[in-house]
Amino acid sequence: MIYIIMGVSGSGKSTLGIFLSKKLNWPFHEGDSFHSKENIEKMARGEPLTDQDRFPWLLKVHEVIQREKCSGCDALVACSALKRQYRQILLHGSRALSASSPGSQLDISSSSPDVFFIYLHGDYDFIYQRLATRQGHYMRADLLRSQFDALEPPLNEENVLTLDIRKGVSEMAAEVEKHIMSVKPSTEKL
């Protein structure tokens, strides 16, 4: 089972991912570490990424997800996954890009039964305050508006668990554990 922790920058993806990784003993993959040097430099200059900037990055994260799925391991991945198309790329790789081309007949399902999204939901002002005080990260607080503008909150059909980021990390982790228990076959329970 793979859980993709998604949301805008500053929503707490890495914090929750690291916490869950320790608690569940699952590997955690930080999606930001797969950004190109050019993407990081662009964000550090305060320039929002375009879809064309993001597609190669999303395909790299897709490869990580596929590798974990093929190994049969449970894993956690942090990735903003702001748009539905981005989430489709995470699930289906380049097939999702082909499916979105004009005139494409390729049909891809909207979800994968063994991949779930954890959507960290919070309001702009709350997250902006977090970003404004965050040290040592290339994502600047003034880029947050562009992330909210791009955000397409996931639909239930996308296998999503929505968490309110005003809750503490322990409380959110407990909700994730409850979700895992509800979806894992009884022979695989924690």
Side-chain angles (χ1 to χ4, degrees), residues 3 20 161-164 167-182:
Y3 278 83
L20 284 169
L161 171 64
T162 300
L163 299 177
D164 183 341
K167 295 179 180 178
V169 174
S170 296
E171 192 176 351
M172 289 191 294
E175 289 185 48
V176 174
E177 286 183 289
K178 183 177 174 183
H179 187 266
I180 292 168
M181 297 298 285
S182 74

Side-chain angles (χ1 to χ4, degrees), residues 17 33-34 36 44 53-56 60 64 73 86 92-93 98 104-105 118 127-128 132 139 144 148 151-152 155 177:
S33 65
F34 298 98
S36 68
D53 296 325
R54 286 187 178 105
F55 290 155
K60 288 178 187 175
V64 171
C73 294
Y86 301 169
H92 305 288
S98 301
S104 172
Q105 299 298 319
I118 300 171
I127 296 172
Y128 185 87
M139 180 67 176
L144 183 61
F148 269 90
L151 179 63
E152 296 171 2
L155 306 171
E177 286 183 289

Side-chain angles (χ1 to χ4, degrees), residues 31-92:
D32 283 346
S33 65
F34 298 98
H35 271 298
S36 68
K37 180 182 175 199
E38 294 79 16
N39 281 4
I40 292 170
E41 289 171 352
K42 190 172 185 177
M43 288 182 281
R45 289 191 305 267
E47 298 174 37
L49 298 179
T50 65
D51 285 350
Q52 296 310 310
D53 296 325
R54 286 187 178 105
F55 290 155
W57 166 65
L58 291 165
L59 289 169
K60 288 178 187 175
V61 178
H62 165 75
E63 290 172 10
V64 171
I65 293 166
Q66 287 305 112
R67 185 178 67 237
E68 291 291 3
K69 282 176 63 174
C70 290
S71 73
C73 294
D74 296 318
L76 301 154
V77 177
C79 179
S80 54
L82 298 175
K83 295 182 180 181
R84 182 176 175 93
Q85 182 183 27
Y86 301 169
R87 296 186 292 275
Q88 290 296 299
I89 294 168
L90 292 174
L91 295 174
H92 305 288

Side-chain angles (χ1 to χ4, degrees), residues 112-181:
S112 178
D114 53 352
V115 179
F116 297 88
F117 289 94
I118 300 171
Y119 171 41
L120 300 184
H121 178 268
D123 69 50
Y124 178 86
D125 292 332
F126 184 78
I127 296 172
Y128 185 87
Q129 289 305 314
R130 277 187 176 180
L131 282 177
T133 60
R134 184 162 74 174
Q135 301 291 316
H137 195 279
Y138 55 80
M139 180 67 176
R140 294 173 29 179
D142 55 354
L143 285 177
L144 183 61
R145 177 53 55 203
S146 70
Q147 293 227 321
F148 269 90
D149 290 346
L151 179 63
E152 296 171 2
L155 306 171
N156 287 336
E157 67 197 40
E158 294 181 81
N159 287 345
V160 64
L161 171 64
T162 300
L163 299 177
D164 183 341
I165 64 168
R166 291 174 298 181
K167 295 179 180 178
V169 174
S170 296
E171 192 176 351
M172 289 191 294
E175 289 185 48
V176 174
E177 286 183 289
K178 183 177 174 183
H179 187 266
I180 292 168
M181 297 298 285

